[in-house]
Amino acid sequence: MSKTILITGASSGIGKATAIHFQKQGWNVIATMRTPEKETELNELENVQLEKLDVLDLESIDHAINNGISRFGRIDAIVNNAGYGAYGPLESFPRENIIKQFNTNVIGLMDVTKAIIPHFRANKDGVIVNISSIGGQMTFALGSLYHGTKFAVEGISESLHYEMAAIGVKVKIVEPGFIATDFGGRSFDFQAGEIEEYKPLINALMQQWQNPNNTVTPPSLVAEVIFKAVTDDSEQLRYRAGDDANFLLDSRKKMTDDEFFKMMNSQLGN
């Protein structure tokens, strides 16, 4: 009997690549997104069910899970991928954007997870994969909102793995580096603002992001790492995705705060 995975944020990027990868490996896929009526690729694949799910809408979460179980009998794994990145000076962000960042990346993730746990507990089995980032272990300038949410995802996941072990469920964290679709896409919210003092930092950061020598990871590689996390049957908690993730996280662990800040500031011309 084929296993079944539910993926949030499956309309593009990592979520879509993960849906395609699992389907190719013979899994049933519940691909969830806010506007499934606009999807033109996943709906053509066998054993892929599109479901409307907005992580800010509790009713849509329950509806997607119940529909998936109704069609495929059970859900064996879930990937909490939906989210977005807010970058810019904290001063420049309206409060509603701050709330949206945390509601989407943290509260929404917890609501989806909480909704699937009774099903996993009844089966005494299941895998929860939470998509974090290198930004859940280290920070970059102007990312106080985004990094705040990813640090939260790391803490939630690490703590959750203890209680889930008691009911036979595994928790995994996947930490991608820079993804080819990160910047300028639908899931990126940059607020530069008009405050003069921040403009040199903003300009320096923009130049770094646009550097053609930067290493970026294709979503398909992250999908492969997610597949390993779901299927390796290990107790491993964290999985890195991308050469830049390995380099930056290893560098962060080896350096003192002062050494790391000096390296990062040098990249910004400071």
Side-chain angles (χ1 to χ4, degrees), residues 60-82:
S60 77
I61 294 171
D62 289 337
H63 193 262
I65 289 173
N66 291 335
N67 281 357
I69 293 171
S70 208
R71 175 173 174 183
F72 297 119
R74 61 179 278 163
I75 296 172
D76 300 280
I78 187 167
V79 178
N80 282 308
N81 166 71

Side-chain angles (χ1 to χ4, degrees), residues 139-194:
T139 67
F140 299 97
L142 304 178
S144 58
L145 299 185
Y146 175 74
H147 292 296
T149 65
K150 290 305 183 181
F151 269 65
V153 168
E154 295 269 343
I156 291 162
S157 305
E158 185 171 311
S159 180
L160 190 64
H161 97 276
Y162 295 111
E163 64 197 76
M164 291 297 97
I167 61 172
V169 174
K170 291 180 168 61
V171 177
K172 311 281 186 166
I173 306 169
V174 172
E175 299 167 335
F178 289 101
I179 305 302
T181 58
D182 271 353
F183 302 113
R186 287 175 293 174
S187 61
F188 185 62
D189 177 12
F190 188 83
Q191 301 275 344
E194 298 298 329

Side-chain angles (χ1 to χ4, degrees), residues 92-261:
S92 299
F93 274 95
R95 187 170 185 273
E96 55 265 30
N97 293 62
I98 297 172
I99 292 170
K100 178 184 175 183
Q101 175 73 105
F102 280 83
N103 278 350
T104 303
N105 288 13
V106 181
I107 305 301
L109 176 146
M110 295 181 78
D111 282 337
V112 174
T113 301
K114 185 179 177 185
I116 196 65
I117 287 174
H119 180 68
F120 285 171
R121 178 165 48 79
N123 294 334
K124 296 182 173 59
D125 189 30
V127 182
I128 299 166
V129 179
N130 291 332
I131 305 303
S132 180
S133 162
I134 56 172
Q137 293 280 327
M138 56 175 287
T139 67
F140 299 97
L142 304 178
S144 58
L145 299 185
Y146 175 74
H147 292 296
T149 65
K150 290 305 183 181
F151 269 65
V153 168
E154 295 269 343
I156 291 162
S157 305
E158 185 171 311
S159 180
L160 190 64
H161 97 276
Y162 295 111
E163 64 197 76
M164 291 297 97
I167 61 172
V169 174
K170 291 180 168 61
V171 177
K172 311 281 186 166
I173 306 169
V174 172
E175 299 167 335
F178 289 101
I179 305 302
T181 58
D182 271 353
F183 302 113
R186 287 175 293 174
S187 61
F188 185 62
D189 177 12
F190 188 83
Q191 301 275 344
E194 298 298 329
I195 301 173
E196 198 65 34
E197 289 87 342
Y198 298 122
K199 288 185 178 179
L201 177 59
I202 291 169
N203 291 336
L205 196 64
M206 285 294 189
Q207 287 179 356
Q208 281 297 310
W209 285 345
Q210 293 165 7
N211 185 344
N213 294 320
N214 284 345
T215 301
V216 293
T217 301
S220 58
L221 186 147
V222 184
E224 292 173 8
V225 174
I226 293 170
F227 187 78
K228 179 184 178 183
V230 170
T231 60
D232 68 4
D233 200 33
S234 76
E235 299 303 320
Q236 181 177 338
L237 175 63
R238 289 181 170 87
Y239 297 74
R240 297 175 182 176
D243 291 340
D244 61 329
N246 283 314
F247 171 75
L248 287 167
L249 292 178
D250 284 344
S251 297
R252 184 65 182 96
K253 286 187 175 182
K254 291 174 183 175
M255 295 180 180
T256 65
D257 284 350
D258 286 346
E259 290 170 338
F260 189 77
F261 295 158

Side-chain angles (χ1 to χ4, degrees), residues 83-94:
Y84 88 108
Y87 262 79
L90 177 60
E91 239 186 308
S92 299
F93 274 95

Side-chain angles (χ1 to χ4, degrees), residues 5-7 10 19 29-33 36 42 48-52:
I5 188 166
L6 185 147
I7 303 164
V29 177
I30 307 161
T32 76
M33 58 200 71
L42 295 179
V48 173
Q49 177 168 321
L50 300 187
E51 286 291 339
K52 181 179 177 62

